[in-house]
Amino acid sequence: ASRFSPSPAPRASPSAAIPAMSGQTAESKAEVAAPHAVKSQRLDHLLVAHAVLAAACGGAALLAPQFFGVFFTGDLGGAFMRWSPDEQHMRLMHMVVRLYGALILGQAPIAWVVRSSTDAGVRRGVAQAYFFVFVATALVLVKALLMEDFWRPSGWLNVLLFGGLATSYGWFNCFGPPSVFESVAKGMM
């Protein structure tokens, strides 16, 4: 054989293509987990956005329920003032807004913690629960906007918000592959 002729490339054994479980490098783990990570990160991003929005809206409802009057009056200026001459009615509205605000605020840590859970069943269960809650909320709001005379066009902003959340969680539940509910952390193990 001439020293200028190319030498044949060494043949890799079929088992060499599969990294050993104990000797797997960080790069090989990332390559294996990459498609899974992208799918799972979408749900993680939704959960983070939900947590931040729930903390902001729930906190605002607890601390300043009068700001939510804009959905009843349709007037931002009227939201800062009393929109009902009946003081008892105003106190009742503030109490209901605060109670709902507490429930919304409570969703923030749930969504925040679930995004890093490695239990696919928990992640799926929370996504299903949020889907049903937001569908029901959007339907109640639509009925109120169409049937009641105290709602104003600004109430449709709530329908868009809850309808958007229902659509997002519904997409993951109906069209997302099962790997969507597995966390990125689990894919890297």
Side-chain angles (χ1 to χ4, degrees):
S2 161
R3 74 177 207 178
F4 296 110
S5 65
S7 61
R11 295 185 66 168
S13 69
S15 62
I18 302 171
M21 294 306 281
S22 61
Q24 221 176 8
T25 65
E27 292 84 17
S28 64
K29 286 181 182 179
E31 288 172 12
V32 170
H36 165 75
V38 171
K39 292 174 186 172
S40 184
Q41 282 179 344
R42 291 179 189 148
L43 179 58
D44 292 344
H45 293 314
L46 175 61
L47 288 165
V48 167
H50 180 176
V52 169
L53 188 63
C57 291
L62 280 172
L63 297 174
Q66 67 273 14
F67 296 141
F68 289 81
V70 70
F71 299 110
F72 297 101
T73 65
D75 176 28
L76 188 58
F80 295 102
M81 296 184 267
R82 300 185 189 278
W83 62 274
S84 173
D86 179 20
E87 290 297 321
Q88 185 177 5
H89 192 255
M90 178 59 77
R91 288 191 305 269
L92 178 63
M93 190 271 300
H94 282 190
M95 183 197 65
V96 170
V97 169
R98 282 189 175 113
L99 286 172
Y100 195 65
L103 291 172
I104 292 171
L105 185 61
Q107 291 178 32
I110 293 170
W112 188 261
V113 170
V114 165
R115 74 174 168 65
S116 60
S117 172
T118 58
D119 188 335
V122 168
R123 289 169 59 90
R124 178 182 293 278
V126 168
Q128 288 172 345
Y130 281 147
F131 170 69
F132 292 121
V133 165
F134 294 136
V135 165
T137 302
L139 291 174
V140 166
L141 288 170
V142 167
K143 180 195 176 287
L145 283 163
L146 295 176
M147 304 294 193
E148 305 295 337
D149 61 349
F150 60 83
W151 284 96
R152 302 293 180 256
S154 59
W156 287 104
L157 294 173
N158 276 335
V159 172
L160 290 175
L161 171 67
F162 289 112
L165 285 167
T167 301
S168 297
Y169 281 110
W171 183 87
F172 285 110
N173 284 302
C174 296
F175 302 112
S179 63
V180 163
F181 298 102
E182 295 175 2
S183 77
V184 175
K186 184 174 182 181
M188 298 295 281
M189 291 180 172

